Amino acid sequence: MAMTTTTTLIGRGLCFNPNDDPRHDRLFFLFLSADRSSLPHQSLLLLCPPRLIVVIIRRPTNEYALLSSSASLTCTTALLLPSRGRPRMDVTRKQALWINNLFNPHWVRARLQFQQRKPSAFSTPRGSGRLVRMEQLWQEFFSDPSQWWDNRLTKKTPKHPDFKHKRTLESLWVDGLLNPSWVKEKMASMTLGHIQSGDGLRSRMPDSFCNGDKLSKLCEEGRLKEALHMLELMVQQTTKPPIHAYVCLLKGCSRRKALAEGKQVHALIGQSVLDSNILLANTLVRMYSKCGSVLHAHKVFSNMPQHDVYSWTAIISAYADSGEVEEAINLFHQMRETGLAPDKVLFVVALKACARLAGLEQGRQLHSDIIKRGFQSDVTVGNTLVNMYAKCGCTEDARDLFDKMSERNVVSWTAMIAGYAQNGLGEEALALYEQMKQEGMQPNNVTFVLLLNACASLAALEQGKQLHSEIIKRGFQSDVVVGNTLVDMYAKCGCTEDARELFDNMSERNVVSWTAMIAGYAQNGLGKEALALYEQMKQEGMQPNNVTFVLLLKACANLAALKQGKHLHSEIIKRGFQSDVVVGNTLVDMYAKCGCIEDARELFNNMSQRNVVSWTAMIAGYAQNGLAQEALALFEQMQREGTKPNEVTYISVLSACAHSGLVDQGRYVFDSLSKNHGVTPTKEHYACMVDLLGRAGCLDDAELFINKMPIQPGSVVWMTLLGAARNHGHVEIGGRAFDRVVKLEPKNAAPYVLLSNIYAAAGRKDELAKIRNEMKDAGVKKMPGCSWFKVDNQLHAFVGDATHPQSKEIQAELDRLVKAGYNPNLSFVLDDLED
C-alpha cells in the first residue's frame, strides 16, 4: 500500500528525526521546498509510523541549474514497508549527498540539520565550475579550520575525506586532483595546532589509537609530525594526555635534533603542568640542549619552581656542548651553593667542561670532590679524569691516575693513548699500545685512528704498516674513518703511491677521504696530482668542503698556478665558501705567491671577517714580492685597527725588512716585539735579525747579536750567519760560524759545503782540500735527494741567485731539500764534494 502526493518544489532540505525520538530511529525524510514555510511540520513527521519514508525525485540533469534557477519539479512520495535486511535509500546522484547506507554512519542520531546548501564541488558538471568551487572550499577551510572535522588519522581508506565540514558535510582531500596549486604549500606552513577536530562523537579518536605504545613507535621511527599530530588530538580530548606522552615525544625530538617539533610540543604543555612535574621540565631542558638552543633551555630552567640534580646536569650540559664552558663551570658552582650534591653523571659533565677549557685548577678541585664522595673507582669517572689531565697537558698526572685505576676498559686505554698523541708524544702512545695488547685488551676503531695519527706525526712508516696489518686482521679496514686515517698516515710518511692505492681500494669514500688524499699530494709537493684528483672528485659527484679548497689553493700557490687558482676562486664563490675566513686567508696567500699582489690586496680589503692570519698573509705577500714599505704600512694599520700581531706576523715583517735592507726599521720592529706586544722572541725571530744584519753586510753586528742572545743559539742561527759570510766572502766569521754548527750537527753536510765555497771564492785551495778531508773523516754523507754542481771546476753553494746560469737547477734542488724536511729559510743548495 502506498500513498502518493505530487508537489511543485524548487528548493531542497534534509531532516533527520529532529526530536531524536527513539520510536523513529529509522525515519529519514528527503524533501524539496521553495522556502521554509513549505517544510513539513515536525509533528507531521512524528505521526508517521517507524518506517522508512523514501522520496524518489525526477530531477533535471543539471543539479547546479536546479539550485540556481526557479525550475519546477514533480515529487512523488511513497511510504514503503520495511524489506528484509537494512532498507536502503538510493538517490540518483550519490555524490551530491554521499549516502550509500543510511544506517551505517554512527553520527545519524546527532543533532544535524541541512540548511540552504551551496553547490557541491563534486556535482558541478563542467570542469571550470568544479575548480572554482574547490578553490572556494579551500579558502573557507583555511579561514576557519575549526569548522571542519580532521579525519586524517582516523579514516580507514584513502576514499574517506581528509576534512569534512561540520555543517554542510562537504569534503576535501589533501591530495585531491582538483586542488589549487597553493594548497600543499599552505598546508605545509600551517601548524598542526591550528586544525581542530571539533566536538561531538565524530571528533573522538578510538581508544586503541590514543595509546603510548603507538606514539612511542612513531617517535622511534622518526615520524615526529605524525606523533605530534596524535599528541594534539590527545590534548583536544576531555581527558589530559599522560605525562609519558610528552616525555616520549620530547625525547624523540632530542634524538632527531628536531627543534621546530620540540617547540610545538612545548606549546602544548601548560606552564602549570611543567611546574607540577619536574621530570617533564627536565626533559624539556634536555631537548633544547640537544637541539642547540641554549637560550630556550635556560628560560625553561629559570622558570622551574625547583631543581634537582638532573635539572642542573641538563642545563650545564647545554652550556658545555655549545662551547660556553666557563658558564657551565659557573653553573656547577651555583649548584653547589644550593646544597645539592652532584652525582657521577654531573661530575663527568663538569670534568669534560674543564678539559675543553684546559682548566687544570678547576679539574683538580673536582678530582678532590670525587675522591671525597667515593666516585673515583667508577670507570667512567676515571676515564674522564684521565682525559681531563691529558687535555690540560699533564700527561704524567694522567698516566699516574691511569696506572692506579682499579678497573680499566678499552675507553681507558684509548683516553691515555689520545693524551700522548695529542701532546706530541707519539712514541709513548705506541709503547702504551704494546702494553695494551700484552694485557689482552682489544682495541677499537678509535684506538687505531689515534695510533695512526701518532705514526703520521712521527713519520713512523714501519709502525704504521704493522698497525695496518692489525687493522685488516680485526676487520676495521672497511671503517671509513680508519681508512681515511690510513691514507693520511701513508701520505705524511711520504708514501703517496701507497696512499693512493689504499684510497682507490676503499669500499666507501666520503669528502674526508678525498681531502686526505689531496692533502697527501699537496704536502709532498705534488700539486699537479692534487689538482687532477680534484677534477676526478667532481666527476664522481663528490662535493668539496672548505678544507678541500684550502689545500687546493695551497697547491696552486706552490705551483704559482694562477689560472687554476682563479678557477678555484670562482667555484668557491659559487659554493658560498668565500665568507669562510680560512678560505679567504688562503686566497690572499695564493694570489700573493702568484705575484698578483693587487688582486690579493683587493680580496683582503673585501673580506667580511679578518683575523691575525689574514693580516699576516697580506704582510707576507708584500714581503715575498719585495714591497717592504707596503708591508710596514700594513703592519702599522693592523695595530691601529686593534689586531694584535703574533709571532708569525713579526717573522713576515722582519723578513720584509731583511730582503729590502731596512736595517733600522727591522731593529725597531724587533725591539717592539716584547716591549709593546709582550711577544717573547723565538729562535726564528733571532734568525731573522741575523739574516737582516747579514744581508746588509753588518757581519760583526750579526755575530755580536748572536753572542748576546738570552737563549742558546741553535744551528739555524749559526747557519744563517755562515750563509751571510759566504755571500760577503768573510773567511774569519765564516770559520767561527762553521765551528759552532759542526758542534751542534756534526753529520750535517751543509756547513762543509758553505765553508768550501768561502775558501774557493778566496782562492784558498789548501783550506778547501783540508775541509773536504775533514768532511770525509767525519763520515758526513751526501744529503738525500740532492744532486751536485761544479762551476769552473770549483765547488759552490749558490744562494738563490736568479741571474746564475744554473738558477733553475738550483731552485729544483732547493724544492727537493724542502721536501726532504730541511728548513726553506736557509735558502741554499749543496754542491757535490765528490768527483
Side-chain angles (χ1 to χ4, degrees), residues 170-185:
E170 290 183 285
S171 304
L172 291 174
W173 282 261
V174 175
D175 296 321
L177 295 176
L178 299 179
N179 285 349
S181 58
W182 50 267
V183 168
K184 284 194 175 181
E185 182 179 355

Side-chain angles (χ1 to χ4, degrees), residues 402-416:
F402 171 81
D403 291 336
K404 293 178 180 178
M405 289 179 67
S406 57
E407 179 186 356
R408 290 189 296 223
N409 56 19
V410 64
V411 180
S412 315
W413 292 88
T414 303
M416 193 63 242

Side-chain angles (χ1 to χ4, degrees), residues 445-644:
N445 56 342
V446 179
T447 314
F448 281 119
V449 167
L450 293 166
L451 292 167
L452 289 171
N453 285 332
C455 292
S457 63
L458 295 171
L461 181 60
E462 291 304 320
Q463 292 91 327
K465 287 183 176 181
Q466 293 175 9
L467 287 172
H468 190 180
S469 299
E470 294 189 38
I471 287 169
I472 295 173
K473 290 178 182 178
R474 298 181 185 276
F476 288 124
Q477 193 172 17
S478 59
D479 186 289
V480 66
V481 179
V482 175
N484 296 341
T485 316
L486 275 168
V487 170
D488 179 70
M489 184 275 297
Y490 278 114
K492 286 183 177 176
C493 291
C495 300
T496 53
E497 294 181 359
D498 293 337
R500 182 57 187 269
E501 182 181 1
L502 182 63
F503 171 82
D504 290 336
N505 293 328
M506 289 179 68
S507 57
E508 178 185 358
R509 291 190 297 221
N510 56 18
V511 64
V512 180
S513 315
W514 291 87
T515 303
M517 193 63 243
I518 290 172
Y521 281 136
Q523 292 162 359
N524 287 278
L526 302 173
K528 292 181 180 179
E529 288 80 356
L531 294 172
L533 185 61
Y534 174 62
E535 294 299 324
Q536 180 183 342
M537 177 182 180
K538 289 193 296 182
Q539 291 174 3
E540 296 193 13
M542 185 63 64
Q543 301 299 320
N545 58 20
N546 56 341
V547 179
T548 314
F549 281 118
V550 166
L551 293 166
L552 292 167
L553 288 171
K554 288 182 177 180
C556 291
N558 293 332
L559 292 171
L562 180 61
K563 183 178 179 180
Q564 291 89 330
K566 287 185 175 181
H567 180 68
L568 287 172
H569 191 180
S570 300
E571 293 194 36
I572 287 168
I573 294 173
K574 290 179 183 178
R575 298 180 185 275
F577 287 126
Q578 193 173 17
S579 59
D580 186 286
V581 65
V582 179
V583 175
N585 296 342
T586 316
L587 276 168
V588 170
D589 179 69
M590 184 275 296
Y591 278 113
K593 287 183 176 177
C594 291
C596 300
I597 196 67
E598 294 180 358
D599 293 339
R601 183 57 188 265
E602 182 181 1
L603 183 63
F604 172 81
N605 292 336
N606 293 331
M607 290 179 68
S608 58
Q609 181 184 359
R610 290 191 293 231
N611 56 18
V612 63
V613 180
S614 314
W615 293 90
T616 303
M618 194 65 239
I619 292 171
Y622 279 132
Q624 292 161 1
N625 286 272
L627 302 172
Q629 295 296 345
E630 288 81 353
L632 290 171
L634 188 62
F635 179 65
E636 294 296 329
Q637 180 184 346
M638 172 186 183
Q639 297 175 79
R640 286 196 305 270
E641 295 190 11
T643 302
K644 184 179 179 181

